[in-house]
Amino acid sequence: MASLETQTMAKYWVDAIRNNKDLIRKYVTNPALFERLASLGGSLKVLDSGCGEGYVSRELARKGHKVVGIDASQYIIKEAKEAGIGNDDYIRGDVCQMPFGNESFDCVVSNFLLVELEQPENFIKEVGRVLKPKGRFIFQTLHPSLFISKTGQSEGRVAPDYFNSTEIFEKLGRPYNLESPVEITTHHHPLSRYTHALTNNGFHIIYLDEPKPIETTPLDDPIREKLKDPRAILIDSIKM
């Protein structure tokens, strides 16, 4: 997210992630993503695109994969490098013009990056370029319905028309009392915009999920009540 290019926002994000303050990630989206990543066999070369402070990269590295993380923010990349565990490397760069050769990776992972992109097709095309044939592209992003549902409206996210992309300005963390110091820019896109971009760039969707709170979520946690509408969508695809 562009706001991570500020040091203040980067520090906020590192604190939120490393101290498990983002309860939706803790109880909903991280378990879903990590379960899907566990289906990757062997020791692969993986690109974590929009890696942030690197927690997904580190999880993959612990599983024996060789991981490269890329992000636009100099501050967040510095944090990722300092927390690296040895089988992970991090570079600053544009995810739509990545400094890698064609067919360089066995898998590309992207966790909540697409919602930051005005033109997600450009990124998906670039993923197709750097991914090997039969390689996996696994990504998670905010569920498009979030921006028009009652849940979304109660948090300040409003898209007047589901079928048209909309730019939205908001602060992070409102659902779990962790408001970010500055507003960020996100983009509502209809689901079909993502799926059409995948199809047009030679991908075949093999898995789609709308993660729910895991069973071990405390019964009295407000996340259970807030998650009556889907918050995220997880897609696993193969480059044909």
Side-chain angles (χ1 to χ4, degrees):
M1 59 192 67
S3 57
L4 289 184
E5 294 179 15
T6 69
Q7 195 166 16
T8 299
M9 188 64 184
K11 287 183 177 180
Y12 157 85
W13 191 244
V14 169
D15 175 61
I17 293 298
R18 295 184 184 173
N19 292 299
N20 272 325
K21 293 182 178 180
D22 186 335
L23 299 182
I24 292 176
R25 291 194 185 230
K26 180 179 179 179
Y27 292 127
V28 184
T29 62
N30 283 346
L33 178 63
F34 291 156
E35 181 179 5
R36 197 61 194 168
L37 294 179
S39 69
L40 296 173
S43 178
L44 304 179
K45 188 174 181 182
V46 181
L47 173 65
D48 182 4
S49 200
C51 64
E53 59 76 56
Y55 79 94
V56 175
S57 295
R58 294 191 296 274
E59 175 71 14
L60 287 163
R62 291 187 191 100
K63 300 299 183 182
H65 302 295
K66 178 65 176 178
V67 187
V68 178
I70 183 171
D71 200 282
S73 168
Q74 61 176 320
Y75 300 109
I76 209 71
I77 284 294
K78 179 177 181 291
E79 296 284 353
K81 286 181 176 180
E82 290 176 353
I85 61 174
N87 205 30
D88 47 341
D89 189 23
Y90 301 91
I91 66 170
R92 185 186 182 195
D94 182 350
V95 296
C96 294
Q97 292 181 311
M98 294 187 281
F100 310 118
N102 296 345
E103 301 180 1
S104 297
F105 295 93
D106 301 299
C107 177
V108 176
V109 177
S110 176
N111 196 33
F112 295 106
L113 169 67
L114 274 78
V115 73
E116 300 171 22
L117 304 177
E118 185 176 2
Q119 300 291 334
E121 297 87 353
N122 295 340
F123 169 61
I124 292 173
K125 181 179 180 180
E126 184 72 344
V127 170
R129 182 186 69 81
V130 303
L131 193 60
K132 296 176 182 178
K134 304 299 181 182
R136 301 262 292 278
F137 176 32
I138 301 172
F139 70 89
Q140 189 165 218
T141 192
L142 290 181
H143 199 293
S145 70
L146 175 65
F147 294 95
I148 62 166
S149 68
K150 292 180 180 179
T151 302
Q153 290 176 2
S154 69
E155 293 161 15
R157 300 182 176 108
V158 178
D161 182 350
Y162 174 86
F163 296 102
N164 288 312
S165 295
T166 305
E167 190 174 58
I168 296 173
F169 304 96
E170 61 180 343
K171 288 189 175 183
L172 290 177
R174 285 175 174 165
Y176 33 89
N177 298 319
L178 188 66
E179 188 169 278
S180 60
V182 298
E183 284 191 336
I184 67 163
T185 303
T186 54
H187 299 271
H188 160 71
H189 301 300
L191 178 58
S192 56
R193 187 163 179 180
Y194 298 131
T195 57
H196 290 170
L198 290 169
T199 301
N200 292 340
N201 286 282
F203 288 98
H204 175 65
I205 296 173
I206 60 172
Y207 179 84
L208 188 152
D209 190 25
E210 298 164 299
K212 300 184 296 185
I214 55 177
E215 291 184 2
T216 54
T217 304
L219 293 176
D220 60 348
D221 195 292
I223 293 300
R224 285 188 177 272
E225 186 61 32
K226 288 180 180 294
L227 268 291
K228 298 299 184 182
D229 295 315
R231 180 165 299 272
I233 189 164
L234 174 65
I235 293 178
D236 188 352
S237 60
I238 292 180
K239 176 183 172 182
M240 306 304 291

